[in-house]
Amino acid sequence: MTATGTGTGTGPTTTAPATATGDTPGTGTGSSVSPTARRIWLRSRGLLVAAAVLVLTGLVLALLRSGDNSALHPSSAAPLGSRAINQLLTDHGVDITVATTSEEALAALRPGTTLLITHPEDLTPERRETLYRATQRTGTRTVLVAAGPGTTAVFAPGTEAIGHLPTGELDPGCTTDLTDRAGSAQLGGYGYLPATDPTTLACYPYEGLPTLLTLDAGTPTETVLLGAPDILHNQSLADHGNASLALQLLGARDHLVWYLPTGAEAPGSDDARSLTQLMAPGWRWAALQLAIAAALAAFWRGRRLGPVLTERLPITVRAAETTEGRARLYHRNGARDRAADALRTATRGRLAPRVGLPAAAAHTPDTLVPALAAHTGQPGHDLHQLLFGPPPADDPALVALADALDALENRLTPDRPETTDTTKTSDTTDTAKDPRQ
């Protein structure tokens, strides 16, 4: 079934069936716009491969950074790990128990034990209190690494912790068996202002602030405050007297409980935390960058045009309707210059072959105008003004231009009647002015 449009003028028609059934994609007569499984795979395989690589990379990094690779872990061979001092202690007969929770640390305490807490500031006040009471009850010696204000308030009441001291080689500044054997060591981090007590030993001062403080020295429950963890790191154990000092601090008794607090025991761990809060800062930035990259990739893919599809026209359309529609658009926008240029270009293209010129010379004034003047006898100036002149100033001038071009073309077509189509052109212009016609 076809539909024929109505309108003025005549011309060729373009015909196509109303429906096109049985078409297969890619034949040129019609194409399905539904994506196939193969097309979806080809479009998304790059993103899927990239996502798989990212997931595998994250898993590998998580495995490499988990467990033994944490700072001050006794089994870690990383620069900030403590495998070296762990090996020295084992060689000297010290029995080491690694605890990752306060419950494990409390269960391992017994008389004649040294408790090493690697990150005491990561504990809640309640857990510090529990550990302190347990050490006093069991007669445990405690070594606190990088003990800050929160830790000293529980384990060393009356002692003030002052942080952010530079780390470097410091002289003992005191006379004890421990410092006489160790000599200078790499300390700093926290400095301490102890309360006046004859049982307190203050060593390795930085500008008058001791960075190694021993409270209740010589008693079963003595407490050692170590300002910085550097002497326990693999990368600095061999420097200065670090190895001797670390070995004496941790190997004074046969049993050592090496307590590594986890994030579950940190302040605020009982509160609900979001996924971003649980992630390390570096991973949060990486996730943000990946999200931005994914958004940009989606925007890029969304703007891409699909393949060109050819379709059959659903109805029969007269060519004159297309011409009139364009004329109405020109009239609505006052585009007389474009309308005049279209008329002149089409006329020059038809006149050039009639005067023996190639199509390439149809739009060259110096070639076309003399040839037309020779065939028509009209002055070259008038022909140049007609075919290459300025755009008309108003609608009547445009209609006059169309009539003059039609008359010129009639003069060069012997079998065409020498009449102008002023009435038809005027009617078309009037129709463009009033879309209801």
Side-chain angles (χ1 to χ4, degrees):
M1 177 179 180
T2 60
T4 304
T6 60
T8 60
T10 61
T13 62
T14 303
T15 307
T19 60
T21 61
D23 296 333
T24 58
T27 60
T29 60
S31 179
S32 173
V33 297
S34 300
T36 62
R38 181 175 181 274
R39 184 177 297 176
I40 294 175
W41 161 248
L42 291 177
R43 290 182 177 180
S44 60
R45 61 182 177 182
L47 295 176
L48 293 176
V49 170
V53 170
L54 289 175
V55 171
L56 291 176
T57 303
L59 291 176
V60 171
L61 290 177
L63 291 175
L64 292 177
R65 293 177 177 271
S66 63
D68 292 348
N69 283 335
S70 59
L72 293 179
H73 197 287
S75 299
S76 174
L80 299 182
S82 300
R83 183 175 179 179
I85 186 59
N86 176 38
Q87 188 64 47
L88 286 177
L89 291 169
T90 303
D91 293 343
H92 282 76
V94 178
D95 179 31
I96 300 176
T97 300
V98 179
T100 56
T101 65
S102 59
E103 288 77 11
E104 293 177 356
L106 292 171
L109 295 182
R110 60 178 183 266
T113 297
T114 297
L115 172 63
L116 170 68
I117 305 180
T118 57
H119 307 287
E121 290 297 307
D122 291 346
L123 295 172
T124 61
E126 293 78 11
R127 294 182 188 273
R128 294 194 197 104
E129 289 283 355
T130 302
L131 288 169
Y132 176 70
R133 289 194 297 266
T135 58
Q136 298 299 307
R137 183 178 64 253
T138 59
T140 299
R141 179 173 176 270
T142 308
V143 178
L144 303 163
V145 180
T151 302
T152 57
V154 176
F155 287 88
T159 300
E160 182 181 356
I162 301 175
H164 308 296
L165 300 182
T167 302
E169 182 183 4
L170 298 177
D171 293 328
C174 65
T175 302
T176 65
D177 293 340
L178 182 147
T179 57
D180 289 344
R181 286 189 291 265
S184 62
Q186 187 172 349
L187 287 169
Y190 278 102
Y192 302 100
L193 288 175
T196 303
D197 191 328
T199 63
T200 299
L201 294 178
C203 302
Y204 295 95
Y206 177 83
E207 296 183 353
L209 291 176
T211 59
L212 177 63
L213 196 67
T214 305
L215 306 175
D216 300 326
T219 66
T221 58
E222 72 176 9
T223 301
V224 179
L225 305 179
L226 188 62
D230 297 59
I231 64 172
L232 303 180
H233 290 159
N234 294 326
Q235 64 182 4
S236 56
L237 186 65
D239 299 337
H240 318 300
N242 294 347
S244 175
L245 182 60
L247 190 60
Q248 294 180 79
L249 288 176
L250 303 184
R253 298 184 181 183
D254 295 336
H255 184 222
L256 171 65
V257 178
W258 195 302
Y259 177 30
L260 293 156
T262 59
E265 299 178 307
S269 61
D270 296 334
D271 301 331
R273 289 184 291 175
S274 65
L275 177 61
T276 56
Q277 291 175 326
L278 295 173
M279 297 172 62
W283 283 100
R284 286 199 293 268
W285 279 110
L288 177 60
Q289 293 175 5
L290 288 176
I292 295 175
L296 292 176
F299 178 74
W300 165 62
R301 295 293 297 181
R303 284 179 53 85
R304 292 191 61 181
L305 299 177
V308 178
L309 303 178
T310 57
E311 298 182 1
R312 294 180 179 178
L313 294 178
I315 58 175
T316 299
V317 180
R318 290 184 178 274
E321 292 185 11
T322 304
T323 303
E324 291 179 5
R326 173 175 280 187
R328 289 190 176 94
L329 289 175
Y330 282 153
H331 182 266
R332 183 185 304 169
N333 292 279
R336 286 182 292 273
D337 53 344
R338 297 196 178 191
D341 182 66
L343 292 172
R344 284 167 167 162
T345 300
T347 301
R348 292 196 301 264
R350 291 190 295 268
L351 291 178
R354 297 175 187 175
V355 294
L357 294 177
H363 310 294
T364 305
D366 295 341
T367 304
L368 180 63
V369 171
L372 289 174
H375 282 74
T376 62
Q378 289 184 247
H381 174 74
D382 295 344
L383 292 173
H384 186 280
Q385 188 73 9
L386 177 62
L387 296 172
F388 298 96
D394 49 28
D395 289 345
L398 178 60
V399 173
L401 173 64
D403 292 342
L405 291 174
D406 194 43
L408 177 61
E409 193 169 350
N410 286 336
R411 294 187 62 183
L412 293 174
T413 306
D415 56 346
R416 186 174 176 182
E418 290 288 338
T419 59
T420 60
D421 202 6
T422 305
T423 304
K424 180 185 70 174
T425 306
S426 300
D427 293 341
T428 302
T429 305
D430 294 338
T431 301
K433 294 178 181 179
D434 188 358
R436 294 172 299 176
Q437 298 183 12

